Amino acid sequence: QVQLVESGGGLVQAGGSLRLSCAASGKIFNINDMAWYRQGAGKQRELVAAITNRGVTNYADSVKGRFTISRDNAKNTVYLQMSSLKPDDTAVYYCKAEDVIYGLPTGWTQGPLDFWGQGTQVTVSA
């Protein structure tokens, strides 16, 4: 199977910075897009940023110029550098790996399937 593990969340003051990481593990052959979503209290989950396996990026308007998404394909890892953080950025941040093709213990190949991480809390104080 495939697992995504996020790290790097925490408490920061407004104007501060945090860097989130998300590593995918398993017998992975390919991941297309990787993305970060967030869900604030009482809100729907929303896309924050996405990156293709060729490095093409896409950002929500609310984070453009403040957040930077990047990935290391060799490590199946995606990062989110967050700067100039605002209290409105407070949320649980989830990473997503899309169209994953991976191997099973039986030797069969599975996919493409999407996988989510468990989420990491980011809290920005005023």
Side-chain angles (χ1 to χ4, degrees), residues 30-34 51-56 71 73:
N30 185 67
I31 302 175
N32 275 353
D33 294 0
M34 299 190 80
I51 184 169
T52 71
N53 55 11
R54 293 176 179 260
V56 178
R71 67 189 279 178
N73 289 333

Side-chain angles (χ1 to χ4, degrees), residues 1-48:
Q1 275 288 355
V2 174
Q3 287 189 323
L4 273 61
V5 178
E6 298 121 334
S7 61
L11 173 64
V12 64
Q13 288 187 331
S17 299
L18 281 175
R19 187 187 192 221
L20 306 183
S21 300
C22 173
S25 62
K27 193 174 181 181
I28 297 170
F29 297 119
N30 185 67
I31 302 175
N32 275 353
D33 294 0
M34 299 190 80
W36 287 97
Y37 286 74
R38 66 186 181 187
Q39 187 167 15
K43 299 180 181 180
Q44 289 190 332
R45 190 173 297 190
E46 63 175 356
L47 175 67
V48 175

Side-chain angles (χ1 to χ4, degrees), residues 4 6 22 24 31-37 45 47 49-51 69 71 78 93-100 113-118:
L4 273 61
E6 298 121 334
C22 173
I31 302 175
N32 275 353
D33 294 0
M34 299 190 80
W36 287 97
Y37 286 74
R45 190 173 297 190
L47 175 67
I51 184 169
I69 189 171
R71 67 189 279 178
V78 63
Y93 284 70
Y94 299 90
C95 70
K96 182 183 182 185
E98 299 180 355
D99 296 335
V100 182
L113 294 173
D114 295 348
F115 292 89
W116 289 88
Q118 81 285 354

Side-chain angles (χ1 to χ4, degrees), residues 53-83:
N53 55 11
R54 293 176 179 260
V56 178
T57 59
N58 180 43
Y59 295 93
D61 288 342
S62 60
V63 306
K64 282 180 180 177
R66 300 188 299 121
F67 291 10
T68 301
I69 189 171
S70 60
R71 67 189 279 178
D72 184 333
N73 289 333
K75 296 181 179 180
N76 292 319
T77 299
V78 63
Y79 306 95
L80 185 68
Q81 178 66 48
M82 304 184 294
S83 302

